Amino acid sequence: MLLQFSLLVLSRTTNSFQAAAGQRSYRAIATKLQTMATSTEVLSPPVARREEDRSVFAGVAPEGWDPKMPRQSNDSTEKLLDPPVAVPDPYGWLRDDKRTKKEVLDHLKAETSLHRAPRANFGITLEPSRDFHTRHTVGLPRRPNRFDIDWDGTKESPILPGEETYLDVNKLAEGKDYCSVGGVKVSPSKKLIAYAADFSGDEIYQLRVKNLETGEDVALKETGSDKLLEIDSVMWGKDDDELFFTTNDEQHRPCRMYQRKNWQSDEPTDRLLAEELDDLFWCSMYKSIDE
C-alpha cells in the first residue's frame, strides 16, 4: 500500500504538509519520514469488547420505560412498531455523555496513541520523493528531487534550491471575487499543466492549460463554440496533444467522459467515450499503473 502525502504528490485536495510542519525544517521532516519508513514495529488497533446480550428497542416504549423520555416527535403521524423490536447494540457501552467511564476513556486514549503513531508501523510503504509538490499558501510549486534543506516557513521563500512556482493561485485570484483550483495534472512532457478553475463560487470549473515554459495560460472552449469548456476532472493522455475530461449534468453530477485530440488546434475533436445515464451513479477516471 502506498501512502502519498499531498505535499509531495499532486492531488485534488491541496492540503499542505506545511500546516502540520509549522516552522520545522524540512530536514527534520525528511528524517522523520525515513525513520517511519524503516520502522519494523507493527501496531494493532485497540479492540473494543462486545456485549452480545446488549440491545436497544425500536418501536413503542418497552416495559418499564421512563415516560419522560419520548419515543418519537410530537408531530409524527407514523405508527411505532408494536411490539417493539430488539436491535443488537454490542458497542453501546462506549457511549459516555459525561466522559467519566474509565474503560471508555482508556479505549479512546489507546485509539489516540495509535493515530499519532508513525504510519510505517501499520505496514504502509512511504514514497517521499516526487518531482512536484503543493504549498497551500503560494499555490503549486515544483522542486528538484531532494529533501535535505531547511525552510523558514514563509510563503515568500523557496522550500528547496531551484524551486519554481508553476501555478500561483494567489496571482490567479487577483482581481476576482472568488477563485478555486482543482484537478491539476502535469503533462507527459512536464512542459504543460491542465487544471480546473472556478471563478464564480458556483462549483462550475473551466478547463485551463498553462505552458510552463512561456507562462501562457488559456481557457479551453467547447468545440465549435465560444463557450468555455466546463468540466469536473481532467487527465492527460499518452502525449501533450491528448486530453481526457469529464463533464457534469444540470445537477452537477459527473456523467460523461470525453477524449479531446489536438486540443491546441483551432478545430480540436471531442469524442464521447462513456456516459452514465442513471442518476444514482456518477463517473470518474484514473490512469492505470502503466499510464
Side-chain angles (χ1 to χ4, degrees):
M1 181 176 177
L2 176 63
L3 178 64
Q4 296 179 329
F5 288 98
S6 56
L7 169 73
L8 308 171
V9 181
L10 291 177
S11 61
R12 181 152 193 174
T13 57
T14 56
N15 292 333
S16 172
F17 207 95
Q18 177 189 348
Q23 300 298 320
R24 289 182 297 170
S25 71
Y26 273 73
R27 181 180 295 123
I29 298 174
T31 301
K32 185 174 181 61
L33 287 175
Q34 292 170 357
T35 302
M36 290 162 59
T38 57
S39 175
T40 58
E41 180 187 4
V42 177
L43 303 179
S44 300
V47 179
R49 63 178 177 81
R50 294 172 58 93
E51 293 185 352
E52 301 297 346
D53 58 346
R54 185 186 182 97
S55 61
V56 294
F57 288 89
V60 299
E63 184 178 355
W65 186 259
D66 185 351
K68 296 180 180 180
M69 299 294 293
R71 300 294 290 176
Q72 66 181 144
S73 62
N74 293 330
D75 57 355
S76 174
T77 59
E78 301 295 330
K79 291 184 178 180
L80 295 176
L81 293 172
D82 191 6
V85 175
V87 180
D89 185 28
Y91 298 112
W93 65 269
L94 280 167
R95 177 162 185 167
D96 180 20
D97 294 337
K98 295 183 178 180
R99 309 292 193 274
T100 57
K101 294 181 180 178
K102 184 179 184 303
E103 185 179 7
V104 174
L105 295 176
D106 288 344
H107 182 82
L108 293 177
K109 289 178 181 177
E111 288 189 340
T112 300
S113 298
L114 191 76
H115 173 73
R116 293 174 178 172
R119 291 297 180 262
N121 290 356
F122 296 92
I124 297 174
T125 301
L126 295 176
E127 188 181 44
S129 183
R130 290 292 191 190
D131 290 332
F132 294 82
H133 67 278
T134 65
R135 193 164 2 144
H136 186 69
T137 54
V138 247
L140 301 167
R142 61 180 176 182
R143 63 169 178 79
N145 217 9
R146 297 180 55 195
F147 211 17
D148 57 355
I149 192 170
D150 290 331
W151 175 50
D152 62 11
T154 63
K155 66 180 182 179
E156 294 82 10
S157 56
I159 296 177
L160 295 173
E163 176 186 282
E164 60 177 298
T165 299
Y166 69 86
L167 183 61
D168 190 331
V169 180
N170 290 332
K171 286 187 176 180
L172 189 66
E174 289 180 356
K176 301 178 178 64
D177 294 330
Y178 182 88
C179 179
S180 175
V181 169
V184 182
K185 302 295 180 182
V186 183
S187 71
S189 71
K190 293 182 170 54
K191 295 180 179 180
L192 306 167
I193 58 169
Y195 66 97
D198 174 18
F199 298 122
S200 66
D202 295 328
E203 295 187 352
I204 298 177
Y205 287 82
Q206 57 180 250
L207 176 55
R208 305 184 67 90
V209 175
K210 181 179 180 180
N211 187 314
L212 300 181
E213 295 182 334
T214 66
E216 181 184 16
D217 192 323
V218 297
L220 274 58
K221 298 179 180 180
E222 296 182 359
T223 54
S225 170
D226 288 332
K227 183 179 179 182
L228 296 178
L229 179 58
E230 298 171 355
I231 67 164
D232 178 75
S233 61
V234 63
M235 191 83 63
W236 287 99
K238 60 183 179 180
D239 53 41
D240 288 11
D241 293 324
E242 184 180 43
L243 284 168
F244 293 87
F245 57 88
T246 57
T247 62
N248 300 330
D249 61 12
E250 293 76 10
Q251 284 73 43
H252 285 206
R253 177 182 66 95
C255 61
R256 291 177 292 270
M257 177 180 173
Y258 289 90
Q259 174 195 45
R260 172 168 290 195
K261 290 187 175 182
N262 304 317
W263 66 269
Q264 302 181 69
S265 69
D266 295 333
E267 296 182 358
T269 56
D270 286 354
R271 177 188 173 197
L272 178 63
L273 300 178
E275 183 174 14
E276 178 54 70
L277 300 177
D278 192 330
D279 291 343
L280 296 179
F281 295 88
W282 57 281
C283 65
S284 62
M285 60 182 178
Y286 61 92
K287 275 193 173 184
S288 60
I289 294 177
D290 61 0
E291 296 296 304

